[in-house]
């Protein structure tokens, strides 16, 4: 993402996860990580990390698992990143 505002991006990650019905279990601004759980068809745990990629870019990575099994279905990740992009766009446009 073309921003170097790690705090704002992590806030958007938290809001997005909550919008997708995740309960935030842990968030650490220093480490740049957020972990949340969702209770639908078994427990889904998602961890998202944010780190500096270049001087003005941040890299966002997400990993999810159901129980102990990693989720490899691309739709799960596409839904998250689509919602995150929408959240960042609306924030930039100052739309609630």
């Amino acid at each position: 993402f073309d921003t170097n505002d790690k705090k704002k991006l992590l806030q958007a990650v938290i809001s997005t996860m909550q919008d997708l019905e995740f309960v935030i279990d842990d968030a650490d601004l220093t480490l740049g990580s957020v972990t949340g759980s969702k209770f639908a068809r078994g427990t889904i745990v998602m961890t998202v990390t944010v780190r500096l990629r270049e001087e003005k870019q941040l890299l966002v990575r997400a990993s999810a698992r159901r129980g102990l099994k990693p989720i490899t279905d691309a739709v799960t990740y596409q839904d998250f990143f689509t919602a995150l992009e929408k959240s960042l766009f609306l924030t930039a446009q100052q739309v609630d």
Side-chain angles (χ1 to χ4, degrees):
F1 290 92
D2 291 327
T3 181
N4 61 357
D5 192 338
K6 188 176 181 180
K7 182 178 178 181
K8 184 184 282 187
L9 188 52
L10 281 168
Q11 288 172 335
V13 166
I14 290 169
S15 295
T16 300
M17 289 178 74
Q18 288 174 327
D19 289 347
L20 295 172
E21 301 179 358
F22 282 88
V23 175
I24 303 303
D25 300 320
D26 186 46
D28 189 317
L29 177 61
T30 305
L31 292 176
S33 68
V34 179
T35 300
S37 301
K38 181 177 182 176
F39 307 99
R41 294 177 282 138
T43 302
I44 298 171
V45 177
M46 180 178 277
T47 300
V48 180
T49 58
V50 176
R51 67 179 176 87
L52 193 61
R53 180 171 182 220
E54 293 181 9
E55 188 175 311
K56 294 186 178 186
Q57 288 186 330
L58 290 169
L59 178 68
V60 177
R61 291 187 179 211
S63 63
R65 62 184 167 81
R66 179 174 279 117
L68 297 175
K69 186 176 180 183
I71 295 175
T72 57
D73 177 28
V75 173
T76 300
Y77 301 102
Q78 290 169 343
D79 290 347
F80 170 75
F81 281 105
T82 298
L84 179 60
E85 288 173 350
K86 190 178 295 185
S87 173
L88 290 169
F89 174 79
L90 294 175
T91 300
Q93 302 302 314
Q94 296 181 349
V95 176
D96 290 328

